[in-house]
Amino acid sequence: MELRHLRYFVAVAEELSFTRAAARLRMAQPPLSQQIAKLEAEIGIRLLDRTSRSVQLTPAGSALLDEARRLLARADEVRRVAQNVGTDHGGALRIGCVASGFSGVLLHLLPGFRTHHPEVLPLVYEMEAAPQCHALIRGDIDIGFSRVSQQIPGVQVIPILSEPLMAALPAGHPLAERRRVPLVRLAGEAFVMFPRNAAPDAFDTITSACAAAGFSPDIAYEASNDHALISMVACGLGISIVPESTSNMTLPGIVYRHLARPAPTTSMAIALPAADPAPQALQMLRLAQDSYAGRA
């Protein structure tokens, strides 16, 4: 299957007319009909129902249309990356980011980065701290945003932002009526947390804060990502302690409350390969340091 056949098919499917599709593609109608027939023969199923007066998508054609659009968009993205490779400032910036970073630092930084560096294509992947470090060392990503505090061999870690932790509570929880929640009031609650092997710094920060308040969290459930965590809280399975930026992720049934002062904090850091970081990654680092000056 060739990309050009998918482009021909998408044009016909969107126009529902071989005549209009041929004009849109700037080609004659008979070759277009032949190429669509060739695509159907290759796939082994009819994609379009044709009469002398109309063209309609078959169920298989409707299913293929969505996938074809996605494949063509991805092909265009790859083409833009390839065209930019070889310039000093172009190319792609492959970013690994913990989920809370999407609703926090990346939400703040990416629009400005795109404004100042329109020639760089950001490719963003959600991944927790430990996989990020492995990906940086392998060269699979160029920069990571995570809550790692310690230095790791092969990776340089630069803290950029300190933010308070908050309580995430089911909406009907008695403590949801309070403006600020004393951390000690969470003793005895069922906690939803990340497993330590996925997010060791976040896990240690929360358990240390609880220990300072005189208790150990009762971890009833473990979540694989932020979306799963807040969904479990919203369903009433337990409570959690999360960075302030996570409070931008809302669902029916969940509320966020500040912890009573002095509230524990967590740091967001940028991670880069220790040797030869990409120029695009250094551009992002400088933007982050300028944007969050004095908040690390």
Side-chain angles (χ1 to χ4, degrees):
M1 185 186 303
E2 299 180 29
L3 284 177
R4 65 189 178 94
H5 291 151
L6 293 179
R7 294 190 190 280
Y8 297 158
F9 167 70
V10 169
V12 176
E14 290 178 347
E15 298 292 344
L16 292 179
S17 163
F18 278 87
T19 301
R20 291 193 297 270
R24 169 174 154 181
L25 294 166
R26 298 182 179 181
M27 63 186 297
Q29 182 176 333
L32 175 59
S33 298
Q34 293 167 7
Q35 294 301 322
I36 294 298
K38 184 176 181 180
L39 175 63
E40 290 178 318
E42 183 177 351
I43 294 175
I45 193 166
R46 192 174 70 257
L47 301 172
L48 300 163
D49 283 329
R50 314 159 176 81
T51 69
S52 58
R53 296 183 178 180
S54 69
V55 176
Q56 298 294 328
L57 286 166
T58 66
S62 296
L64 179 62
L65 178 59
D66 290 337
E67 292 300 324
R69 284 169 170 157
R70 278 192 283 270
L71 283 170
L72 292 173
R74 178 59 179 156
D76 290 339
E77 180 181 280
V78 170
R79 184 179 297 107
R80 289 195 301 272
V81 172
Q83 288 169 344
N84 281 331
V85 169
T87 67
D88 291 336
H89 304 290
L93 176 61
R94 300 166 299 167
I95 304 169
C97 187
V98 294
S100 60
F102 283 82
S103 55
V105 291
L106 282 190
L107 184 65
H108 177 67
L109 293 176
L110 269 183
F113 184 83
R114 291 291 286 147
T115 298
H116 290 96
H117 305 285
E119 74 285 357
V120 178
L121 177 66
L123 303 175
V124 186
Y125 309 97
E126 182 179 338
M127 56 178 70
E128 294 301 326
Q132 274 188 43
C133 292
H134 297 313
L136 284 165
I137 292 169
R138 291 193 307 266
D140 294 338
I141 61 173
D142 303 305
I143 189 170
F145 288 84
S146 68
R147 302 187 186 281
V148 173
S149 57
Q150 77 275 16
Q151 294 298 319
I152 298 164
V155 176
Q156 54 178 319
V157 178
I158 306 103
I160 58 168
L161 171 68
S162 179
E163 58 181 319
L165 293 172
M166 300 182 69
L169 308 167
H173 195 285
L175 292 175
E177 298 177 0
R178 300 181 66 110
R179 184 169 171 268
R180 290 185 177 272
V181 176
L183 186 55
V184 69
R185 293 290 300 274
L186 301 180
E189 295 281 349
F191 271 68
V192 182
M193 289 180 58
F194 296 123
R196 190 180 185 282
N197 62 352
D201 282 80
F203 184 96
D204 291 346
T205 297
I206 293 169
T207 54
S208 296
C210 292
F215 72 97
S216 224
D218 176 15
I219 303 173
Y221 297 95
E222 291 186 334
S224 58
N225 55 57
D226 284 54
H227 305 288
L229 185 146
I230 67 170
S231 296
M232 293 165 79
V233 173
C235 290
L237 297 181
I239 63 96
S240 193
I241 297 176
V242 298
E244 185 177 49
S245 55
T246 300
S247 66
N248 293 324
M249 303 167 61
T250 59
L251 279 179
I254 191 169
V255 297
Y256 299 94
R257 294 292 181 263
H258 286 281
L259 295 172
R261 296 187 181 94
T265 61
T266 181
S267 291
M268 177 65 73
I270 281 179
L272 299 170
D276 299 322
Q280 300 92 327
L282 294 175
Q283 291 165 353
M284 176 63 85
L285 172 62
R286 285 191 289 270
L287 175 62
Q289 290 175 323
D290 290 344
S291 299
Y292 294 115
R295 295 184 60 185

